[in-house]
Amino acid sequence: VIDPESLLNHLSRFTQQDVEAGFQQHLEIIRHKRWLRGGVYAVDGHDIVIPYGKGYEGAHRISEGSYGYKLLVLLNLQDDCELIVGYVLGGLQESEITMLRRLLARLDHTMGRLREWLKILLMDRGYWGTDLFCELKQDYGIDFVSRVRDEKLDLNGPIQRQLEEPERSWTEIEEQRQFAGRQQKQKVRLTALRPITLISDETEAHRQIAVNVVVAVQSHLDGSPILDKKGKDISRTDYITSLPPGRHGVKVRRFYRGRWGIENQGFRSLSQTWDIDRPAGHSYGAVLARLVFVFMIYNARHLFEKESRHCPDYAEQLRQMRSYGAGIGLAGATIIALTASGFCCAL
């Protein structure tokens, strides 16, 4: 049994350089074992809000009495085995695009040229920016899939004109989607447009890039539109990508749907199971050290589960663990692994 104060004192001894070096060693083992697969990655941000957190080092205030951090995480997406390969922790006021640029520059330096292992980056529409798209594709050699940010962009004019073409070709597929907590089927009509050139007005360089757009229109099986909780029609989704979309863009939609794991499973697990929204201490080193510690356990647990699926009693073990409920976390029922070399890990 470890007293929380003893753990806090231990975490407070770490510097940012210590934590980064330790996580880098963790990644080198994963890469050596060839556990990073596929080259498809997703990035997303998460706000850690601390009510009345004025004394937290590096935390910035967003409203009266509320402070916190912004966390950016990069995940390698595999079937049922997402692995965290990069992170940036900053203040709440920081731009996620700026943080992503810092993360990519660090990974390009520490893990080798991005174009050799990070093939496709999935992003939500919060990372919209022509300069960023140019940097990803033209500077780093990374293909990207994102969503059109909003209906006010000039890009929507060319999109609408192509959609109104009388001979436009569409295809229809069926997908599983969660409605009100239940899995249901939906229809999706898809079409891929001709390339559209984006020109940046953010810098004097006015960089430009030709992108492909895929339009998806979802509906219930009876043909009725998809509505949100407020009754707004959210049936149509426009995707933007540097990838060749194919005839109708089916693979582009499947890529983007794959990034929902980082929100629905990734951050939900990190928040609910591992309590990343509750900093370990007031010092920046303690906050970062515990986060990275959780990232390494998160990866170890996913790899452990993936490697154990061939065990006949594994499903029963999982069933028994889940019976303890949501209280399982850093405290509670755990699996303890002791290696021959004397290292101990709690899952």
Side-chain angles (χ1 to χ4, degrees), residues 1 16 36 135-136 161 182 188 191 199-200 223-224 248 304-305 318 344:
V1 178
Q16 184 173 348
L36 292 180
E135 291 171 26
L136 291 172
R161 286 193 290 271
R182 295 180 298 173
V188 183
T191 187
I199 301 176
S200 169
S224 59
H248 297 109
F304 175 79
E305 290 183 354
L318 277 185
C344 186

Side-chain angles (χ1 to χ4, degrees), residues 300-332:
R301 175 177 175 175
H302 278 237
L303 291 167
F304 175 79
E305 290 183 354
K306 183 177 181 180
E307 294 298 316
S308 301
R309 286 175 191 151
H310 65 279
C311 298
D313 60 342
Y314 182 65
E316 176 61 20
Q317 291 177 16
L318 277 185
R319 188 193 66 78
Q320 293 179 7
M321 288 180 63
R322 291 191 182 114
S323 68
Y324 285 94
I328 295 178
L330 289 178

